[in-house]
Amino acid sequence: MNTSIPLAASDAAATSPTTLIYWFRNDLRLDDNPGLLKACQKANNLLLVYCHDVAAWQMTRWEVPRTSRHRQQFLASTLADLAMQLKSHDSRLLEVEGPPAELLPALARAIGATTIYCEEIAAPEEQEEVAALRAAGLTVETVWQSSLLDPTDLPFALDDLPDVFTSFRTTVERHHVLPPPPLARPQKIPALPPAYAALVEKWGATKGAISSGFADAEPIEHQASNSVTYRTGGRSSFPYFLPLFSGGASAASEHLHQYFDRKLAHTYKLTRNGITGVDYSTKFSPWLASGAMSARQSYAVLKEFEAAHGANDSTYWIWFELLWRDYFRLLHLKYGPQLYRAQGLTSLPQPSHDARAFDAWCQARTGESFVDAGMAELSITGYVSNRLRQVVASYLIHDMGCDWRAGAAWFEAQLIDYDVYSNQGNWLYIAGRGTDPRNGRRFNIQKQAHDYDPDGAYRRLWSAQ
């Protein structure tokens, strides 16, 4: 006679082991990672995965690579730091090579998982990846976590997001909308699935295999830090080949705190339009783009600084720039794929394009010295100032008659701080196909050179590459 008492359905679920996958995307950190925290709370066994998608190694329709060695190496150091932090929590990061839509269902079957947690990214290709996983029968729990402000705290529905940034900013400030504090990292990361070793043997990506997929699109070898230092001559405004500027949450945290410890925030508005050097801007963007630092972490340290040393126009401007970053994200939530059309949010005709002119722009051979200097810096270092980004983008669109989408693709390939939201938003803005109330920004290149490089020092620094 069976005298055991049947478990209620909820009790049975509570006692059965839950195996989940957490898929890292652009959130390569443990602290202030709501999606990871939720996965840790739900799982008994948790597989932590990063996918190196081979699509990133292919050429675009504009005949430029999707990524470069600059981005590859910054990502590699970011993942190495994440792996180190996970190891300190008795866990591991599984790096796999291939399309997430193929690899993640296979991994799920191998460990008996049916649910994946990941960051929500409101861009078309990233949305398609999630849709493909769901079509494969997986439950995908996405968590919106890359913005400073929580969209649910805004004083308007996303459909009513103002189409002018100033209106958005003033509304947010008038209603005193503030970001939530950053979350602590998980106290404990669930154990790896028992089959983890077999997964590594079958699917684990090797560093050599990953590296071999990338086209060497820059006039610089990145085989060793000393060779990079030699070729850049110490000129880089973001020397990611040095430990203090390497990828990952460890370097991000150190940089964040040293920036405020040196009180550079009090002069940010005065220096932010600089074009060379490591201190003219916050330089948070590469770590924000990879998710090694969250916007809420940077804001929290900003507020601590203001409480201790006082607020001024410059510290306000850091908040202002973080709001701009949020605005481009919210535009994606409102408009989605419309931001990727040739006409953008307008009814303008198809943009013209000159393939030869575009190639000259990419290769820093336009004949316009200020533009060529900026393009040389970008190609050689993977970074260029915000001021020069606007200048070279305006020149490509308005002076060379090229398609803004080609320029966006080149920035995607080259910039170590490439961020899908800000990249798309800024190129649309310059092209007059986004939400700019002035219908585009055409810069007078000679005036820009006179204002920001009056003695020609920047042009000499990057000439004859």
Side-chain angles (χ1 to χ4, degrees), residues 358-369:
F358 175 61
D359 183 64
W361 180 82
C362 293
Q363 301 303 320
R365 295 198 308 263
T366 69
E368 181 59 65
S369 60

Side-chain angles (χ1 to χ4, degrees), residues 115-262:
T115 301
I116 294 176
Y117 280 77
C118 66
E119 175 192 13
E120 173 81 8
I121 303 177
E125 290 184 5
E126 289 80 357
Q127 291 284 301
E128 289 168 5
E129 289 178 332
V130 170
L133 294 175
R134 287 173 174 154
L138 291 170
T139 299
V140 184
E141 300 287 349
T142 61
V143 181
W144 179 262
Q145 57 188 32
S146 71
S147 60
L148 178 67
L149 302 178
D150 189 328
T152 63
D153 290 338
L154 296 173
F156 42 74
L158 287 172
D159 287 345
D160 297 322
L161 174 73
D163 280 341
V164 175
F165 169 74
T166 300
S167 299
F168 161 74
R169 177 183 59 81
T170 56
T171 302
V172 163
E173 292 176 340
R174 187 171 63 251
H175 286 83
H176 305 289
V177 181
L178 297 175
L183 300 172
R185 65 176 55 190
Q187 290 185 349
K188 185 177 186 305
I189 295 178
L192 293 164
Y196 179 75
L199 300 180
V200 174
E201 185 174 351
K202 184 173 181 180
W203 280 292
T206 65
K207 301 302 180 186
I210 293 169
S211 297
S212 66
F214 289 84
D216 188 5
E218 306 74 44
I220 181 169
E221 292 296 330
H222 282 240
Q223 301 303 317
S225 294
N226 60 349
S227 68
V228 178
T229 305
Y230 173 76
R231 290 298 300 275
T232 62
R235 295 171 293 173
S236 176
S237 292
F238 194 95
Y240 67 86
F241 43 85
L242 299 179
L244 288 176
F245 292 88
S246 65
S250 300
S253 178
E254 186 172 351
H255 176 83
L256 178 66
H257 286 91
Q258 70 83 26
Y259 180 82
F260 287 104
D261 287 346
R262 294 165 62 205

Side-chain angles (χ1 to χ4, degrees), residues 324-325 328-329 332 417 419-427:
W324 256 117
R325 180 177 179 273
F328 287 138
R329 281 159 164 70
H332 274 71
D417 62 350
D419 170 272
V420 63
Y421 302 110
S422 296
N423 193 57
Q424 203 71 10
N426 277 311
W427 276 94

Side-chain angles (χ1 to χ4, degrees), residues 378-399:
L378 174 60
S379 179
I380 292 170
T381 73
Y383 189 87
V384 70
S385 68
N386 183 62
R387 173 56 49 181
L388 262 297
R389 293 182 200 199
Q390 295 179 75
V391 168
V392 301
S394 170
Y395 190 76
L396 179 73
I397 296 167
H398 300 299
D399 292 86

Side-chain angles (χ1 to χ4, degrees), residues 37-102:
L37 201 59
K38 288 184 179 181
C40 289
Q41 291 167 348
K42 297 287 186 181
N44 299 107
N45 296 106
L46 184 62
L47 180 65
L48 301 143
V49 180
Y50 183 85
C51 295
H52 294 271
D53 192 349
V54 293
W57 308 341
Q58 299 168 356
M59 301 294 281
T60 69
R61 60 179 290 191
W62 310 105
E63 296 301 315
V64 299
R66 288 296 299 266
T67 192
S68 65
R69 291 191 182 277
H70 298 303
R71 288 188 60 198
Q72 174 202 7
Q73 295 211 350
F74 192 72
L75 173 62
S77 60
T78 301
L79 291 170
D81 185 77
L82 178 61
M84 179 186 68
Q85 296 201 31
L86 287 170
K87 189 174 182 179
S88 72
H89 285 266
D90 297 320
S91 190
R92 297 291 187 275
L93 177 67
L94 178 63
E95 294 185 50
V96 294
E97 183 182 348
E102 295 177 12

Side-chain angles (χ1 to χ4, degrees), residues 6 22 56 69 92 136-137 202 206 227 235 247 251 266 298 331 339 355 357 392 405 412 460:
Y22 189 79
R69 291 191 182 277
R92 297 291 187 275
K202 184 173 181 180
T206 65
S227 68
R235 295 171 293 173
H266 270 157
S298 61
L331 282 176
L339 299 170
V392 301
R405 295 171 297 170
E412 176 182 353
R460 290 192 298 274

